[in-house]
Amino acid sequence: MERRFAGIDIGSRTIELVVVDGKGRVVKSLKADTGFDPMAEARRLMDGVGYDGIMATGYGRNLFEIAFEAPTVTEIKAHARGARAFFAQATSVLDIGGQDSKAIALFANGKVKKFEMNDRCAAGTGKFLEIMARTLGFDIEAFGDEALRAEKETAISSMCTVFAESEVTSLIAKGQDRREIALGVHASVMRRVAAMLQRAAPEGDVVFTGGVANNGCLRSLLAQKLGRKVRHSPQAQFAGALGAALIAMEGKGR
Amino acid sequence: MNISPLMDDGYAGEPAKRVLNYMQGRKQKGDPIVGIYCGYAPIELIQAMGLVPAVLCAFSKVPIPAAETVLPANLCPLIKSSYGFIIEGTCPFYAMSQAVIAETTCDGKKKMFELIADIKPTHVMDLPQVPDDREARRNWKRMILKLQGFLERTFDREADEKRIEAALKSSNRKNALMRKLFDYAALIPPVLHWKEMYDVGFLALPATGEEMAPILEVLLEKLEQRVREGTHFGKPGAPRVLVSGCPVGGDATKIFKVIEEAGGVVVAPDACTGMKAFAGVFEEDSGDPIAAIADRYLDIPCACMTPNNRRLTDLTAMIDRFKPDAVVDFVLQACHGYSVESYKIGRHVQETHGLPFLKVETDYADGDTGQLRTRIEALFESI
C-alpha cells in the first residue's frame, strides 16, 4: 500500500488536516473550528484518517507535539512550502489567518529568506475583517464581494480593531453607505499588509494563502496597490496543513 | 544539564542577589553607594572616590502597573519598571543609594528622571548624541568634570588625577579579563552559558579590577578545565545566536530562554547588560584621565547616538569572533532609537555577513512567548 503523510495546521480559528500520497498529491482535506479545546477537535478531525507520518504546524503545534508525539514545523515554513505547492515559482508569500498575518520572502529554491509577522494585534488579520463584517451586517463569506460593489471608499483611519469598530459604528450612524464603509475597511487591512509585504518580500508575484485569501476585494486592492500579481489557490486555507504534510513527506521536518 | 555552576558561591543564576550581598559588604565598610541607570555612567570616576556604583532595578514587570498610574502605558518597559520600583520602594539598590546618576540617553528617561529628582539627589548628565563631532568629546569631558563636582559636594570626598588614572587602569585590567572570559562562549561548542556571563557581569560591573581579578582568574581556570573535559552547552549543531539591541535583564531574559527552548544557544549577548559594558580600552597615562574616560564612554555604540556607525563595526567584530548562525535584534516596546536602527542592523547582518536576522519587539510581559517562539523557530529553520 502506498505511504501517506498528513499535515495538521492548528490555527487560532480553524484546524485543517491534509493528507498527501507518496507523490505529494492531496488525497484528503478536512477542516474544523478550533473551538476552546483544540486537541479534542484535532483528535476528532483525525479520527479514521490513515497516514504513515504526521507533522503539526500553527499556534497549537507545541500542544500537539506533546499530545501526539509528532514533529512540528513553524507556520512560516509550512505556508512557504504550501505556497510552492500551489505555485512552484513563488518567492513572495502573504498569509492572513484568523489572528495573525505574515509576509515571507523565499529564495529561488523555496527556502525561507526573510519574514515578518503581525501577531500582537488584530489589525490586518481575519479577525479584524470578521468583526467589521459583523458590525456592518454582512456575512463574512460575502464581505469582499459586497465591498467590491461600492463606487467609492469611505476612509477608515483607525488601525486598532477596537477603535475602528467604533469608527465604523459612528459612520453607520451618519448614514454612510455600508458598502463604501466595507471598502474602506478592506483598504485599511490592505494598507497594513502591503506595507509588511514591501518590507519583507518586495519582489515578484505574491502568493496569497490562508482563509482571507478567498476575499476577492482584498486581492484586487493589494494587486492595485503593489503593482504586482496577487495569486491564490481555491485551497488557500489549506496551505499550512498542505505544507506540513509535504514537509513530512520529504522528511525535512525535525 | 548537570554542569556545576561557574560561580559556585550559592548565588548561581541570581546575579542581583550576589550584587546586593557585595553592596551590603561595601556599605558596612563605610563606602557610600551611588545609584546608576546606564552604561554611560563613568564608573571609574565613582570608584576613584571610593564610592560604589549600584545598577538600579529596571527589569521586572512587577512594578509596571504602579508606574502606569503616572506614566503612559505606551512607554519603554525599562523606564516604566525603573520608575515603578522607585515609587513602590521595592528596589533595594535605590534604597541603599545616597545619590543617583542619570543621563539624557532618551526622551522617556529624561522626563522620568524629573519625576524622581526630588526623592534623592539626582544628577543628570547631558550626554552628547553626535559622538563624532569634535565638540562632543569636549562637552562630555565637561559633563564628567561636572559630575565630579556633584559627587565631591554630595559625599564630601575628592578624586585627584592619580586616583582616577589608577581607577581606569584597574578597569582596563578587569575588562580585559572579562573579554577573555567571553572567549569561552566563542568556542564551538560554547563552554560558557549566558546565565554565567550574567552571573559574572552583574558583579564585575560595580566591582573594581582589584576585587575582580582574583575571582576571574579562578573562573578562567575552571573554564579551561571544562575545555579539557569536553563540557559544553547546547546540543551538537545547536544554532549559535548573537543577541544585539536593548538591554536584556530579569523578565526580558525571556528572549534568551525562548532561544534555548527552540534549541539554540546564546553565544553573544551584546547590549549594555551583556558584553558591551566590558568593551573598549581606556587610554592609560595620557596625562588627562578624565578625557580618557570621556573618550571610552562616548565610544559606546548606543542607538541614542547618531550616526551610530560604531555599532556596525563592533557587530562585525563580534560576528567574526563568536561565529553566530543568526542574529536577533532585541527591541523593547517604544524604544524608537533601537527600533529605527534595526533596519540598518538587519541590512548589515544580512548583506555584509549573509546571516539570517530577526528583529523582535517586545516588553516584559509573558503574553507573547508563544509568538516569539514561532519567530525564533522560523529563524532557525532559515539557517
Side-chain angles (χ1 to χ4, degrees):
Chain A
M1 174 150 169
E2 206 187 358
R3 286 164 69 78
R4 294 192 163 183
F5 301 90
I8 188 162
D9 181 357
I10 302 156
S12 60
R13 312 282 300 157
T14 56
I15 302 176
E16 290 90 19
L17 178 70
V18 169
V19 181
V20 298
D21 65 15
K23 293 200 172 69
R25 287 178 303 220
V26 176
V27 292
K28 203 182 261 298
S29 305
L30 298 166
K31 192 178 95 175
D33 284 340
T34 306
F36 53 84
D37 187 354
M39 287 311 106
E41 289 300 331
R43 208 165 268 133
R44 204 175 355 240
L45 206 58
M46 288 156 62
D47 190 38
V49 178
Y51 49 79
D52 299 289
I54 187 165
M55 181 159 296
T57 188
Y59 100 114
R61 69 184 183 284
N62 293 325
L63 264 181
F64 191 90
E65 181 178 13
I66 296 161
F68 297 89
E69 288 179 32
T72 64
V73 64
T74 64
E75 299 92 291
I76 292 126
K77 194 173 170 182
H79 274 273
R81 184 65 190 89
R84 294 285 279 209
F86 296 145
F87 301 98
Q89 307 300 319
T91 53
S92 279
V93 181
L94 171 68
D95 165 56
I96 307 186
Q99 283 180 0
D100 70 13
S101 44
K102 42 193 164 287
I104 312 164
L106 307 179
F107 288 108
N109 66 4
K111 228 182 133 185
V112 174
K113 182 180 179 183
K114 197 176 171 186
F115 66 92
E116 195 169 313
M117 283 177 90
N118 158 42
D119 55 14
R120 289 208 86 177
C121 137
T125 70
K127 186 79 190 164
F128 181 85
L129 286 169
E130 197 179 317
I131 290 172
M132 296 308 146
R134 201 171 48 214
T135 309
L136 287 163
F138 291 118
D139 185 50
I140 184 68
E141 312 292 333
F143 195 31
D145 293 338
E146 294 288 351
L148 277 173
R149 285 195 205 141
E151 277 169 18
K152 58 180 177 36
E153 170 198 333
T154 299
I156 305 292
S157 53
S158 307
M159 286 217 284
C160 166
T161 310
V162 178
F163 291 140
E165 193 179 7
S166 30
E167 191 177 344
V168 165
T169 309
S170 66
L171 288 170
I172 295 169
K174 277 188 205 152
Q176 291 277 354
D177 183 90
R178 63 184 188 133
R179 286 192 180 125
E180 290 175 7
I181 305 174
L183 188 58
V185 165
H186 281 82
S188 139
V189 173
M190 177 277 290
R191 279 192 295 270
R192 220 178 143 83
V193 295
M196 192 168 67
L197 257 175
Q198 294 297 61
R199 278 193 302 266
E203 282 154 33
D205 292 356
V206 177
V207 175
F208 197 170
T209 64
V212 180
N214 294 322
N215 185 309
C217 179
L218 205 54
R219 287 199 310 269
S220 74
L221 287 176
L222 257 177
Q224 221 171 15
K225 169 83 178 180
L226 298 171
R228 297 158 68 184
K229 210 175 206 172
V230 176
R231 315 175 73 173
H232 89 294
S233 153
Q235 295 296 304
Q237 192 167 5
F238 292 93
L242 173 61
L246 292 172
I247 293 166
M249 182 195 84
E250 290 152 359
K252 281 186 185 160
R254 288 179 302 160
Chain B
M1 185 172 68
N2 277 322
I3 301 171
S4 73
L6 189 64
M7 287 190 96
D8 214 353
D9 54 1
Y11 292 110
E14 295 183 299
K17 282 191 185 162
R18 176 185 295 108
V19 176
L20 188 60
N21 178 56
Y22 165 78
M23 293 290 161
Q24 281 162 342
R26 290 286 305 263
K27 205 176 161 85
Q28 270 161 18
K29 278 188 215 153
D31 299 328
I33 314 282
V34 186
I36 61 170
Y37 270 115
C38 163
Y40 283 105
I43 283 169
E44 293 68 24
L45 177 67
I46 301 169
Q47 290 171 331
M49 294 185 188
L51 309 171
V52 189
V55 179
L56 300 176
C57 309
F59 291 108
S60 168
K61 60 178 177 283
V62 176
I64 286 181
E68 286 177 353
T69 59
V70 175
L71 301 176
N74 185 25
L75 184 68
C76 153
L78 191 147
I79 302 173
K80 287 192 288 189
S81 182
S82 305
Y83 181 71
F85 267 115
I86 290 174
I87 59 169
E88 290 210 303
T90 44
C91 174
F93 300 104
Y94 188 77
M96 294 168 99
S97 300
Q98 283 171 250
V100 172
I101 300 169
E103 303 80 10
T104 56
T105 38
C106 73
D107 293 346
K109 276 193 170 182
K110 253 176 356 203
K111 303 314 282 185
M112 186 274 280
F113 294 143
E114 290 176 24
L115 304 180
I116 59 165
D118 53 353
I119 307 176
K120 284 195 184 197
T122 302
H123 179 84
V124 179
M125 300 178 79
D126 187 4
L127 179 69
Q129 304 194 344
V130 187
D132 296 329
D133 274 2
R134 200 156 14 116
E135 294 84 351
R137 307 268 148 179
R138 213 174 55 211
N139 293 346
W140 185 230
K141 185 188 157 188
R142 274 193 201 148
M143 290 302 143
I144 295 174
L145 284 167
K146 203 170 164 188
L147 171 71
Q148 187 179 350
F150 167 79
L151 293 174
E152 285 177 346
R153 280 192 310 280
T154 311
F155 294 96
D156 195 22
R157 290 188 176 216
E158 277 183 10
D160 57 22
E161 284 201 352
K162 227 171 105 185
R163 293 178 64 186
I164 298 172
E165 179 70 35
L168 67 82
K169 280 182 176 161
S170 162
S171 260
N172 271 346
R173 189 175 164 210
K174 170 177 83 180
N175 296 347
L177 285 169
M178 285 301 286
R179 292 194 294 267
K180 222 165 150 184
L181 187 99
F182 298 143
D183 280 340
Y184 290 87
L187 294 177
I188 302 175
V191 307
L192 179 66
H193 194 266
W194 69 263
K195 276 189 186 162
E196 299 177 323
M197 296 197 206
Y198 270 49
D199 270 345
V200 186
F202 274 51
L203 179 64
L205 194 78
T208 63
E210 287 71 28
E211 290 168 322
M212 281 314 289
I215 299 174
L216 290 170
E217 300 288 1
V218 173
L219 300 185
L220 289 169
E221 232 163 79
K222 267 193 174 179
L223 288 166
E224 263 313 304
Q225 197 185 333
R226 281 187 184 174
V227 173
R228 283 195 300 272
E229 290 169 355
T231 307
H232 65 266
F233 294 97
K235 288 189 183 145
R240 301 165 61 84
V241 187
L242 183 157
V243 181
S244 186
C246 291
V248 181
D251 288 331
T253 57
K254 68 177 179 183
I255 185 65
F256 295 158
K257 292 170 188 157
V258 168
I259 288 171
E260 288 186 328
E261 279 163 21
V265 280
V266 178
V267 292
D270 179 20
C272 297
T273 42
M275 305 192 300
K276 211 189 257 179
F278 306 100
V281 177
F282 295 94
E283 192 191 341
E284 297 186 5
D285 301 316
S286 65
D288 189 351
I290 294 278
I293 290 179
D295 284 345
R296 150 65 174 74
Y297 279 93
L298 217 49
D299 278 352
I300 295 175
C302 176
C304 68
M305 297 294 170
T306 185
N308 188 25
N309 296 329
R310 240 172 242 105
R311 184 161 171 218
L312 301 183
T313 2
D314 284 11
L315 208 51
T316 290
M318 239 181 294
I319 289 170
D320 291 344
R321 182 168 157 220
F322 290 93
K323 300 177 181 60
D325 299 306
V327 174
V328 170
D329 198 18
F330 178 80
V331 178
L332 289 172
Q333 168 208 312
C335 178
H336 306 320
Y338 274 101
S339 190
V340 174
E341 194 167 278
S342 192
Y343 177 73
K344 275 192 178 182
I345 300 301
R347 282 189 51 178
H348 182 71
V349 166
Q350 289 168 315
E351 287 165 22
T352 311
H353 296 282
L355 288 174
F357 170 84
L358 179 72
K359 171 191 181 183
V360 294
E361 201 168 348
T362 186
D363 56 15
Y364 293 173
D366 300 321
D368 64 348
T369 43
Q371 286 100 321
L372 288 177
R373 174 99 184 248
T374 300
R375 284 176 166 79
I376 298 289
E377 283 182 10
L379 176 73
F380 290 172
E381 284 169 351
S382 70
I383 291 170

